[in-house]
Amino acid sequence: MEEVNQSTVTEFILDGLTKNPELQLPLFLVFLGVYLVTIVGNLGMITLIMFSSQLHTPMYYLVSGLSFIDSCQSTAITPKMLLNFVTEKNVISYPECMAQFYFFCVFAVAECYMLAVMAYDRYVAISNPLLYNVTMSYQVCLWMIAGVYGMGFISATADAISIMRLLFCKDNIIRHYFCDYFPLLELSCSSTFINEVLAWSLGSITILVPAVTILSSYIFIVVSILNIHSTGGRLKAFSTCSSHILAVAIFYGSLSFMYLQPPSHSSLGQSKLSSVFYTIVVPMLNPMIYSLRNKDVKVALNKLIQKVNFHTTKTNFH
């Protein structure tokens, strides 16, 4: 902490997505709408799973966990970004910046591992359906979710400590719309070699370990599906995985583009669009993917709506 106190920078200015004044209001309205859809969609998914007994299965417990992560991820980034569109300078204090970076890391890493756990869940459901309730019991689900958050906090703590040991005495303008790792390294006036090694090491582990888990799970899933003789059975098995495959493709595609490339001025400029996808767009898309493409969720939603309408009608009648 002594090194942090020696730092001459006590606040940063977030550069934002664009400096074009004509785009500020349209972008504010677009991202405000995206944020509201994200929060309503994810909290709605959690509520639906909570109050629908037919969705009280390991698969949907994990989906609700993903929705919680997406809500928190978006909340850590979007509100502060929205200020950038309506203020001349979006100032963020050093403690606020470190807090935003920390929670962004926690939930970004947690999402990586949650998607891996969800892939394993689908593998067990398709490859060993008779043992599914034993293998993926309620207790096992809780331990897996705890492990997901544990990995998020461990990785984020290591990254945050490595950032907080740096001195910031150069330009205080962060060329990004939130406090991210490499844009912060650009502003440091102390050596960032250890930070870059740590970032590459943890980043590679965070992306590759879940990615290998997901890939391995789907290799076994494909083999199991090919062993199903009926076409209807194959289609049903594949449909239970399609939502997860789409979510994984969007999230890992944008995340890999952002972090599995050398940190440079050009790549930082290009990464803004990529990071918008995994920090803002993906959290909005996930509840849509798991609701619009999922028959069980549609049925549960219709039943819940009917139940609410019935109680409302009964109350009005009395």
Side-chain angles (χ1 to χ4, degrees), residues 40-58:
V40 171
N42 283 292
L43 294 184
M45 181 66 77
I46 293 171
T47 304
L48 179 63
I49 292 170
M50 186 184 301
F51 289 101
S52 301
S53 58
Q54 65 267 41
L55 298 182
H56 290 177
T57 64

Side-chain angles (χ1 to χ4, degrees), residues 11-16 18-19 24 80-93 96 171-174 176:
E11 63 183 25
F12 298 100
I13 298 173
L14 294 169
D15 202 25
T18 179
K19 293 181 180 178
Q24 300 294 331
K80 192 65 181 175
M81 185 192 73
L82 290 173
L83 285 177
N84 199 70
F85 297 124
V86 294
T87 55
E88 187 175 344
K89 287 185 178 180
N90 189 7
V91 178
I92 184 169
S93 68
E96 286 178 320
D171 184 12
N172 69 336
I173 299 177
I174 298 175
H176 216 335

Side-chain angles (χ1 to χ4, degrees), residues 15 73 92 157 212 233:
D15 202 25
Q73 170 86 309
I92 184 169
T157 301
V212 169

Side-chain angles (χ1 to χ4, degrees), residues 180-192:
D180 201 2
Y181 200 85
F182 291 124
L184 281 169
L185 291 190
E186 270 198 331
L187 304 182
S188 174
C189 54
S190 52
S191 174
T192 60

Side-chain angles (χ1 to χ4, degrees), residues 202-252:
L202 288 178
S204 298
I205 292 170
T206 299
I207 292 175
L208 294 178
V209 170
V212 169
T213 302
I214 292 168
L215 184 61
S216 302
S217 296
Y218 276 106
I219 289 173
F220 288 114
I221 286 171
V222 169
V223 172
S224 298
I225 290 176
L226 291 176
N227 288 329
I228 298 174
H229 299 296
S230 67
T231 304
R234 288 181 179 181
L235 290 175
K236 184 178 179 181
F238 179 76
S239 67
T240 64
C241 303
S242 59
S243 298
H244 183 258
I245 292 171
L246 186 57
V248 167
I250 296 172
F251 181 76
Y252 272 91

Side-chain angles (χ1 to χ4, degrees), residues 44-45 47-49 51-55 291-292 296-314 316:
M45 181 66 77
T47 304
L48 179 63
I49 292 170
F51 289 101
S52 301
S53 58
Q54 65 267 41
L55 298 182
S291 59
L292 297 177
D296 292 339
V297 172
K298 291 178 184 177
V299 170
L301 181 59
N302 288 331
K303 285 185 177 180
L304 188 61
I305 292 172
Q306 289 172 6
K307 189 183 294 184
V308 171
N309 289 338
F310 174 76
H311 285 296
T312 303
T313 305
K314 192 175 180 181
N316 293 336

Side-chain angles (χ1 to χ4, degrees), residues 41 63 77 90 97 125 167 177 216 221-222 246 251 271 277 281 299-300:
V63 169
I77 303 296
N90 189 7
C97 187
L167 296 176
Y177 59 88
S216 302
I221 286 171
V222 169
L246 186 57
F251 181 76
S271 70
F277 268 87
V281 177
V299 170

